[in-house]
Amino acid sequence: MICFTTFELMNFLENFSLKKHNTFGIDAKAKYFSEFISVSELKDILNSEIYSNNKTFVLGEGSNILLTKDFEGLIMHNKINGICILEDHENSIIVEVGGGVNWNDFVMWSVSQELSGIENLALIPGTVGASPVQNIGAYGMEVKESISKVHAFNIKTRKSEIFSNEDCNFEYRNSIFKGEVKNKFIITKVEFELSKTPLNKTTYGAIQEELKTLNLRENPKNIAKAVINIRSRKLPDPQVLGNSGSFFKNPIIKTERFNKLKKEFPNIVGYKISETKTKLAAGWLIDNAGLKGYRKGDAGVHKNQALVLVNYGNASGQDIINLSKKVQHTILEKYGIAIEPEVNLL
Ligand code: EPU
């Protein structure tokens, strides 16, 4: 028997515009750009001369980055696909998902199978591979609650490794992939344990209200629908108005300090997250400082959600940075609180 193996030559695009690869819609260029659809293609890229001679960055859908200038190096785009059921138990399933799969597509698959655990995270932009990095969260749910394992490729040893949920050191918008092992691994696949029993987490925000308005009962599919409605009303669609979701993190401060601020600003919004700590709604701080809807040139603070910065068309990364500095400065002056970007600056 004679077998032929087909393979594509690794493709490095040069001087590549990243406008369609970042949800802010910033027209910055990459010196080189290459995609991988498998671990083996990733290995080929890592063995190339272009990889050795350039700084690099792994990009998913570019939904949590701000390109501040042209990238003088190699952008590697994860396109590893596939959703595979590994184990089918009485109350749950284990599913392995390619890092390049669109996050919302995976949520839609999950609810179509009547599985539960990620439905409140519907419509979060980005890829499955990026979801553990900042432990994406919304409407009372975080992805860390469903992740069982993360498969990541160790750039130094050139071997795949598996991180258990505990290994990932998940925290609010944080994980080991943003800390200790930052830039040392490339996430290739993620395993999730999804429940066959609906979790029905509907106490956060306006989910229950939305279900009532839609006249829908609580189940994963309907909760996803409610979340999609709420998000679409509040958050700008990146296809229409460039943005990358929350630009800033909600700052965590001592409850003692929160109580003092509350005396001065009785309407301030905060959630107690432990005995001594409170998470402040940065959106409220910005809104109450009068910056909601503020615009300078093509960079602006969104009119419905002050935590989101937007590109009205031709803003450069630097325009957005200048705006974010103005917001940070105003918040520091007014409340004595330092807020930090949630998006990664490149
Ligand atoms: N608020 C204002 N004015 C604003 C925005 C918010 O007063 O312009 C107040 C709201 O009234 C509310 C509070 O601030 O009382 C919190 O607002 P919201 O519930 O909209 O959530 P958030 O804290 O602003 C976080 C996540 C979002 C996630 C939502 C829903 C962060 C940094 N952001 O936003 O995540 O969708 O909760 O759970 O934690 C993202 O990361 O890109 C993102 C959109």
Side-chain angles (χ1 to χ4, degrees), residues 73-92:
L74 166 65
I75 297 276
M76 300 187 278
H77 183 36
N78 184 347
K79 289 199 80 177
I80 299 177
N81 230 307
I83 300 178
C84 305
I85 294 175
L86 299 184
E87 293 169 35
D88 193 344
H89 303 288
E90 200 184 328
N91 294 317
S92 69

Side-chain angles (χ1 to χ4, degrees), residues 296-333:
K296 181 145 193 257
D298 268 355
V301 177
H302 187 50
K303 61 179 180 19
N304 297 335
Q305 165 53 291
L307 203 49
V308 178
L309 302 187
V310 295
N311 173 6
Y312 283 100
N314 291 313
S316 67
Q318 208 48 52
D319 295 336
I320 304 281
I321 287 287
N322 293 343
L323 174 66
S324 78
K325 286 198 174 135
K326 180 189 164 71
V327 173
Q328 284 173 310
H329 185 75
T330 308
I331 299 309
L332 191 60
E333 292 273 286

